[in-house]
Amino acid sequence: MYDQAEALRLRMLKSQGKMARSTAIISGKGGVGKSNFTANFSYSLLAKGKKVLIVDMDIGMGNIHILFGATPNYNLKDYLNGLQGLYEVITPVEEGLAFIAGGSGLETVLEWSKPMFDRLIDGFSILQTEYDVILFDMGAGATKSSIDLILAVDEIILISTPEPTSITDAYSMMKFICMQDADKTFHIVNNRVMKEEEGRDSVARLQLAMRKFLSAESNILGFLPDDINVRNAVIAQIPFVKMYPNSQISKRMKEIAETYLLGEQPGTSIETSGFLEKIKSIFQKGRG
């Protein structure tokens, strides 16, 4: 049976100890630079000695491969449907950094077949022991195809800009998540900031609203300036932290990665309720 097979897998993995830190990168609306942040953030974590895997979950609109200038042969859907093995759907970028393209047609966890779900658990049981950080690049907003996974990860990085509409959408997104899980850990990055004061004020208002109306706290990871180097790097299909390592925005991204790693926990024990346990709970509850 499934439970017996899963217990055997976990016993086999137990000796490997620490499991990857799972983080969903989200935004209240599109066009705020979420995927570009993910690509450059992963490089900054790599520079800190972390082994990083990105899973592109922006269904039908995923562009992580474009930002890396890479062409994946297969995607996550190919693996879940049993068409390819786990390592065939992983596209390497550099040693210690890789991504899995999402593929169109993936729906919520609750709508996956039992074999697809079993393969998900099998795959991530392995990947969580082989990487230090797994980043899930989610589609904009809280959608049917993303909320199950967002609720299962260890923590969330929300990308916004100082524009009032972006702040409003970011608050709405966090409100929706808090209504599902009041204890979720939030980090905030303000992108495309023209002036430091503007960035701080907009995030301060967002934090105040969360504290006052949601009784929720958030951590500010940092601010990224509006920089022409970002556009040039996207055109070149090279992350800006690699193409322009001495630019102001690359230095800020390095600081964001350092702040993120300061909050690193000793590691989720395989015997405790982590990412995979939450996904299993969502699946089993939905199948009721």
Side-chain angles (χ1 to χ4, degrees), residues 198-219:
E198 175 188 48
R200 292 188 183 280
D201 287 348
S202 61
V203 173
R205 291 196 300 272
L206 182 57
Q207 282 188 310
L208 180 61
M210 289 183 65
R211 188 176 298 120
K212 182 176 181 180
F213 300 111
L214 305 178
S215 299
E217 295 295 334
S218 57
N219 173 46

Side-chain angles (χ1 to χ4, degrees), residues 211-281:
R211 188 176 298 120
K212 182 176 181 180
F213 300 111
L214 305 178
S215 299
E217 295 295 334
S218 57
N219 173 46
I220 299 176
L221 281 186
F223 310 91
L224 292 171
D226 194 24
D227 194 324
I228 188 61
N229 288 325
V230 175
R231 180 177 180 274
N232 294 337
V234 170
I235 293 173
Q237 296 184 287
I238 302 173
F240 61 75
V241 294
K242 182 178 182 181
M243 189 170 180
Y244 303 106
N246 297 318
S247 65
Q248 183 64 27
I249 191 170
S250 293
K251 292 177 181 177
R252 286 298 183 88
M253 184 63 78
K254 176 183 177 181
E255 293 171 0
I256 286 173
E258 290 173 347
T259 302
Y260 171 84
L261 292 176
L262 283 175
E264 191 170 33
Q265 299 301 314
T268 303
S269 168
I270 292 175
E271 295 179 329
T272 63
S273 180
F275 168 68
L276 294 180
E277 289 299 318
K278 290 179 181 178
I279 282 287
K280 284 199 296 182
S281 176

Side-chain angles (χ1 to χ4, degrees), residues 173-202:
M173 180 71 169
M174 288 193 284
K175 178 181 179 181
F176 183 80
I177 294 171
C178 284
M179 289 174 64
Q180 313 293 319
D181 184 354
D183 297 323
K184 185 60 65 181
T185 299
F186 289 99
H187 304 288
I188 301 174
V189 173
N190 214 350
N191 193 25
R192 297 176 184 164
V193 174
M194 299 293 291
K195 297 180 180 179
E196 187 81 10
E197 183 178 355
E198 175 188 48
R200 292 188 183 280
D201 287 348
S202 61

Side-chain angles (χ1 to χ4, degrees), residues 25-32 34-35 57-59 61 137-146 150 173:
I25 300 178
I26 68 173
S27 64
K29 65 178 218 176
V32 299
K34 173 182 55 60
S35 293
M57 296 298 294
D58 193 350
I59 306 305
M61 299 291 288
D137 184 23
M138 309 303 300
T143 65
K144 183 180 180 182
S145 61
S146 67
I150 290 174
M173 180 71 169

